[in-house]
Amino acid sequence: MRKIFLLFAMSTLLISYATAQENMMSLVKSQHFQFIATGINSSLISEYPQFSSMNMDGYSIEVTKKYLDCKLPFVGRVYRNGMNEHHIEVYASKYTYEYKVVKRRKTTDIIVKMSALSNDGGDKLNFTLVISESGRAVLTVVSNNRETVTYYGTVYPYKLYKK
């Protein structure tokens, strides 16, 4: 009886693991998801401790086939005058999008790379999103005119998460 129960439990775990991985992959393939930021890592975070742990204050990236909409807090140095020093805001109807699956020894990650111009057209932003099977993700934003910033959060189906 114990062997049957153990076999059933193991098969259930394997099926749920495969289902979670397929769900993340289908979101990435469909280009219909959002990343909700819950934390930030920057070299200047000690000056702005309020952003070290964000409480889902609506900071996110929404990805659809029609547009990329980004609003994230920014903590760091800005190298060009006149830029928004407190937020990274992008709304782009034209952006590049590519993804690949990286299999490691015990895990499989999905790496999504996106690139878009800022709202004023004066800066190119490169987004790299590394998503685990569970949906936990790390987003790195690299800009020509800003310091690189890393965000931690979770990937959800688009519009499933309510603010």
Side-chain angles (χ1 to χ4, degrees), residues 56-69:
M56 294 190 182
D57 292 327
Y59 295 118
S60 67
I61 290 185
E62 297 174 355
V63 178
T64 69
K65 289 185 178 181
K66 294 182 180 180
Y67 63 86
L68 171 76
D69 188 9

Side-chain angles (χ1 to χ4, degrees), residues 103-155:
K103 294 188 179 192
R104 296 191 168 81
R105 189 172 199 176
K106 294 184 178 181
T107 62
T108 301
D109 291 336
I110 303 168
I111 299 176
V112 178
K113 293 188 177 189
M114 300 169 284
S115 183
L117 293 176
S118 63
N119 288 345
D120 65 359
D123 193 14
K124 183 178 180 182
L125 297 158
N126 295 312
F127 303 93
T128 303
L129 185 62
V130 180
I131 308 169
S132 70
E133 299 101 353
S134 66
R136 299 290 301 156
V138 176
L139 173 70
T140 303
V141 180
V142 179
S143 166
N144 294 332
N145 298 313
R146 297 176 191 252
E147 185 176 358
T148 299
V149 182
T150 303
Y151 301 90
Y152 305 98
T154 307
V155 171

